[in-house]
Amino acid sequence: QVQLVESGGGLVQAGGSLRLSCAASRKIFTGNTMGWYRQAPGKQRELVASITRGGTTNYADSVQGRFTISRDNLSYMVYLQMNNLKPEDAAVYYCNGDPAWSSWGQGTQVSVSS
């Protein structure tokens, strides 16, 4: 069974930080690259960061240098540390495999005030 549960979102001022967490089921996590995605109102969902099983990371240009993705292979957790947040980072954030599985979690809302 595929299960993804995101948490950690909230409202912060521009320049602030948040740390998102994702609890993934073993089926989707084990051996797979994991990613954080986001979807802003009226926009398509986009991949912002990914991490391989071995820890190699990749970031979208828009978050490079500000976001850090990490994973705990023992607890099936994926994290996204977001620093220096900007209003354009506001979105619902989701985790999933990369490439994504068809099932998605409920996401966690990130709001950034200017």
Side-chain angles (χ1 to χ4, degrees):
Q1 183 179 359
V2 173
Q3 187 173 13
L4 297 157
V5 180
E6 301 91 350
S7 62
L11 172 64
V12 296
Q13 288 187 329
S17 297
L18 284 173
R19 186 184 191 226
L20 307 184
S21 299
C22 170
S25 56
R26 183 173 68 176
K27 182 175 182 179
I28 193 173
F29 187 94
T30 303
N32 293 318
T33 297
M34 295 297 294
W36 278 98
Y37 301 75
R38 67 186 180 188
Q39 187 168 22
K43 295 187 177 181
Q44 287 192 330
R45 191 173 293 170
E46 62 172 342
L47 177 67
V48 296
S50 64
I51 184 168
T52 68
R53 180 172 180 263
T56 300
T57 57
N58 193 41
Y59 299 93
D61 289 345
S62 59
V63 306
Q64 180 75 46
R66 300 187 297 120
F67 290 11
T68 302
I69 188 172
S70 60
R71 64 189 288 165
D72 184 334
N73 290 335
L74 295 180
S75 63
Y76 312 139
M77 294 291 294
V78 187
Y79 304 98
L80 187 67
Q81 177 66 43
M82 305 186 296
N83 297 328
N84 191 21
L85 282 160
K86 303 176 179 181
E88 52 264 41
D89 294 319
V92 179
Y93 284 72
Y94 304 86
C95 71
N96 207 315
D98 177 22
W101 292 55
S102 58
S103 296
W104 292 84
Q106 82 288 350
T108 187
Q109 177 72 52
V110 172
S111 301
V112 184
S113 62
S114 57

